[in-house]
Amino acid sequence: MSDKNTGVLVQHQAALADGRFLIQKCGDCGQHIYFPREICPHCGSDAVQFVSPSGQGTVYAVTTVRRKPADGGDYNVSLIDLDEGPRLMSRVDNLKPDDVKIGQRVTARVVVADDKGVVVFDAVGGAA
């Protein structure tokens, strides 16, 4: 991993720790990028910069992971298509795991614990 890419990851993690969700946008081809990197995977340009996404997206796929209640109970793992284009893996927090549906609209928020942030989603307007 190059020093530049390490710097990009540090910037991304620092933003999450501050409660801010950022993605990148290529200044040459205009494509949005997630997970942050130093080179645009669409056109090869290094003219990428951090931007704040709308945070809006749609559940593309979802599965429920089953666990004993003593181990924290069930949770969902979801693939979310951001309105800007990138797809990321996360979870939908404000619904029961089995109530998350493909095609459901969601909005992002950052949860910070122990000085580390993670992007999670909440359903918009209930189940699809």
Side-chain angles (χ1 to χ4, degrees):
M1 183 179 306
S2 74
D3 289 339
K4 184 176 179 184
N5 201 45
T6 300
V8 168
L9 295 177
V10 168
Q11 274 185 280
H12 179 251
Q13 291 165 348
L16 288 173
D18 287 340
R20 296 179 298 125
F21 175 34
L22 299 176
I23 63 175
Q24 289 175 306
K25 184 174 182 178
C26 179
D28 286 335
C29 72
Q31 292 289 317
H32 288 88
I33 305 159
Y34 193 84
F35 194 80
R37 58 194 79 205
E38 63 181 282
I39 301 293
C40 175
H42 304 284
C43 71
S45 170
D46 65 354
V48 292
Q49 59 190 21
F50 282 103
V51 296
S52 294
S54 68
Q56 304 301 305
T58 304
V59 176
Y60 174 80
V62 62
T63 190
T64 299
V65 177
R66 306 284 181 201
R67 294 189 305 183
K68 296 178 185 176
D71 293 333
D74 298 346
Y75 66 96
N76 69 80
V77 176
S78 300
L79 292 177
I80 309 294
D81 285 343
L82 293 177
D83 287 355
E84 290 82 3
R87 179 176 293 159
L88 61 135
M89 185 170 30
S90 186
R91 67 180 188 261
V92 178
D93 261 5
N94 68 333
L95 295 176
K96 294 177 186 173
D98 290 332
D99 290 343
V100 179
K101 305 294 181 204
I102 293 171
Q104 189 165 38
R105 294 292 292 164
V106 292
T107 188
R109 67 183 164 88
V110 177
V111 175
V112 180
D114 299 323
D115 296 325
K116 292 184 181 182
V118 68
V119 178
V120 298
F121 290 84
D122 291 324
V124 175

